[in-house]
Amino acid sequence: MTYRPVALALLALLALLASPALAQEAPDPARIIADRIDRDGHGTGLVTAVVQDGTPAFASHGVTEAGSSTPVDETTLFEIGSLSKIFTSLLLAQMVLDGTMDLDSAVEDYLPEGTDMPDFEGTPVTLFDLATHSAGLPPIPPELAFADPANPYPAYTQDMLLDTVGKLPLASEPGIHYSYSNTGYALLGVAIAHAANRSYGELVTERILEPLGMEDTLLVVSGDKIARFAGGHDAAGEPVPHWDFDVFAAAGGWRSSARDMARFIAAASGQIETPLAPAFALMLERTRPAGSPGMSIGLGWMIREREGGSTVWHNGMTGGFNSFAGFDRQSGRAVVVLANQLTATGIEDIGFHLIDPAVPLVPQPPQREAVEIDPALLDNYVGTYELGPEFSIAVTAENGRLFVQASGQDRLEAYPESDRRFFLKAVDAQISFETGADGVATGLVLHQNGQDVPGTRRP
């Protein structure tokens, strides 16, 4: 659910959606996920659910932990990251329908008394602004940039969020620009809970999980369910800790299984009748542009327009998990994909391909091997490189390791392929340095999505 993984996944996704549509045979989920793990070497465990006429068909491949022999299946629990935002948006839709909240009212009207909420030259942030990522709030509160990346959210409380939000200037006028914000969804969760006078977790359980029979969807995994909770893995396939949440649960804190999420997506797509149908419909009634051609956003859901139809979808990531849920608005065909490892291109392409076979799978990058180089060379590359008017890459070195941090994103480790060329594992990208006669870098080139983007080192 962090800003970095979502942003990087979206880059890969935009490249996918820009690809030409090619007629293909009906996809075989079992073969696709087996190829992704066994042939391509990307992934630890993958589970898919394809729902047609209200009936799910599950496929799974891989294991719950690296080195384990326990297979994943439709009952395995995964962190679903930002798919949690769809639960939060669905709560909002329910409360709009029952008259408790109004999408066009200021968020401040629903926050605890005394909370300061920024405005933009007198224009307030509304609930609809938060739900459509157009409030002008940052991806995460500034102080979270210094949190433990292995588990960044557990100590961040509601009081901290409300105090910080009151001091944040809005980046733009609300309702104008799409900018993905976990801050906004955490705040939306607070507003919903305060308006209902119930805890956020209780509301999701009572209004969503219980009506849909989702018994394996939880904020905290405990008891006999722990044995079914998969371990997460980073892009290098190394085990990483589970993430825990306080106020940011509304943005990314839920854990679920493919079996439960299949029930959810069957209801969202209208394949089964549930009391939640009016709220699901409201989530798609009003939309705003979502930052790329053919993409818009309703209450939480992303909507991709394509020739002959549209796809409703969302994805999610935590430190070691990746998730996708979506459906075709015309046929109702719905898909869930859950993974317990981050990979360079993500698993979103699998979800889109299973919904619409004309959308191709993303070619997987080759496996790259790091080589040993003289650690003293790394100091020659430290600096900030300008690649565009609002895009730069900061390069740092610590304890013989090189790190890069693009504008607005997290810091990522870069691994040497040679003395001057490095690759990232968290995303399919490489960086090569241009040096002077003294070996000190004068610039770099970012190699990503088939493009070579040069950057000049700041003096």
Side-chain angles (χ1 to χ4, degrees):
M1 62 84 70
T2 63
Y3 176 62
R4 174 191 62 78
V6 172
L8 295 177
L10 210 50
L11 287 176
L13 175 61
L14 294 179
L16 164 69
L17 298 184
S19 302
L22 302 174
Q24 297 189 15
E25 298 178 359
D28 178 358
R31 178 188 59 77
I32 290 170
I33 60 177
D35 284 349
R36 185 63 57 95
I37 294 176
D38 297 339
R39 182 193 66 193
D40 301 328
H42 295 294
T44 298
L46 276 165
V47 184
T48 65
V50 177
V51 187
Q52 197 82 50
D53 299 324
T55 302
F58 299 103
S60 57
H61 195 80
V63 293
T64 58
E65 305 265 2
S68 167
S69 60
T70 304
V72 294
D73 63 22
E74 65 269 22
T75 68
T76 302
L77 300 180
F78 294 77
E79 294 177 3
I80 63 170
S82 285
L83 286 186
S84 304
K85 292 180 174 68
I86 303 303
F87 295 166
T88 305
S89 297
L90 181 56
L91 279 182
L92 174 61
Q94 291 174 312
M95 295 180 70
V96 168
L97 289 175
D98 67 22
T100 305
M101 304 183 90
D102 182 339
L103 289 178
D104 296 312
S105 291
V107 175
E108 194 168 3
D109 295 346
Y110 303 101
L111 296 175
E113 186 175 353
T115 301
D116 290 327
M117 186 71 197
D119 59 31
F120 188 91
E121 299 177 355
T123 301
V125 173
T126 68
L127 295 173
F128 193 56
D129 295 332
L130 291 185
T132 56
H133 294 288
S134 54
L137 291 169
I140 58 173
E143 57 268 34
L144 271 175
F146 304 99
D148 179 4
N151 192 12
Y153 293 99
Y156 203 88
T157 65
Q158 175 175 311
D159 287 345
M160 295 168 68
L161 176 68
L162 296 181
D163 180 64
T164 294
V165 167
K167 302 172 183 175
L168 290 174
L170 299 181
S172 59
E173 181 180 350
I176 303 300
H177 299 292
Y178 172 85
S179 182
Y180 196 89
S181 177
N182 289 310
T183 306
Y185 261 80
L187 190 63
L188 183 58
V190 173
I192 290 170
H194 184 69
N197 197 28
R198 299 292 302 276
S199 76
Y200 169 75
E202 289 173 337
L203 288 170
V204 172
T205 299
E206 294 171 5
R207 294 192 171 205
I208 299 174
L209 307 183
E210 290 178 354
L212 296 181
M214 298 172 63
E215 299 179 353
D216 284 337
T217 302
L218 315 147
L219 286 174
V220 178
V221 179
S222 60
D224 59 0
K225 288 183 169 57
I226 293 177
R228 292 193 279 122
F229 195 9
H233 304 79
D234 63 18
E238 296 297 324
V240 295
H242 289 115
W243 278 9
D244 304 299
F245 295 84
D246 191 291
V247 71
F248 271 84
W254 290 93
R255 293 85 184 265
S256 191
S257 65
R259 182 174 61 186
D260 263 18
M261 291 306 297
R263 292 191 182 104
F264 184 83
I265 203 66
S269 61
Q271 294 190 42
I272 59 175
E273 295 184 9
T274 74
L276 282 62
F280 277 122
L282 180 62
M283 294 174 76
L284 301 176
E285 282 187 9
R286 290 176 59 184
T287 65
R288 282 179 171 160
S292 61
M295 199 78 72
S296 59
I297 182 170
L299 299 186
W301 286 116
M302 305 296 294
I303 305 164
R304 174 214 165 199
E305 301 296 334
R306 66 182 199 282
E307 185 177 351
S310 60
T311 301
V312 176
W313 67 279
H314 208 287
N315 66 341
M317 290 186 183
T318 59
F321 294 83
N322 196 178
S323 60
F324 172 93
F327 61 91
D328 180 87
R329 294 187 76 174
Q330 284 64 46
S331 70
R333 182 179 174 88
V335 169
V336 172
V337 186
L338 302 177
N340 64 340
Q341 182 183 331
L342 300 183
T343 57
T345 61
I347 48 82
E348 290 78 8
D349 65 316
I350 297 175
F352 280 100
H353 182 67
L354 294 180
I355 291 172
D356 179 4
V359 179
L361 295 167
V362 171
Q364 296 301 292
Q367 294 292 309
R368 298 177 181 272
E369 296 292 335
V371 301
E372 290 189 12
I373 64 172
D374 182 356
L377 293 173
L378 302 183
D379 289 336
N380 293 333
Y381 308 139
V382 172
T384 300
Y385 300 79
E386 300 287 351
L387 286 78
E390 298 182 3
F391 184 69
S392 63
I393 293 178
V395 178
T396 55
E398 293 180 12
N399 302 318
R401 300 161 67 190
L402 196 74
F403 298 87
V404 298
Q405 184 169 19
S407 300
Q409 300 186 24
D410 287 350
R411 190 175 73 154
L412 305 175
E413 185 168 1
Y415 301 85
E417 285 187 302
S418 68
D419 284 353
R420 293 191 301 162
R421 187 177 176 97
F422 295 75
F423 68 94
L424 281 64
K425 294 182 179 179
V427 62
D428 185 19
Q430 302 81 46
I431 287 174
S432 56
F433 290 95
E434 299 171 336
T435 62
D438 57 0
V440 177
T442 57
L444 61 69
V445 179
L446 171 65
H447 311 280
Q448 187 177 18
N449 293 331
Q451 300 183 37
D452 300 312
V453 184
T456 302
R457 186 176 184 170
R458 287 180 186 168

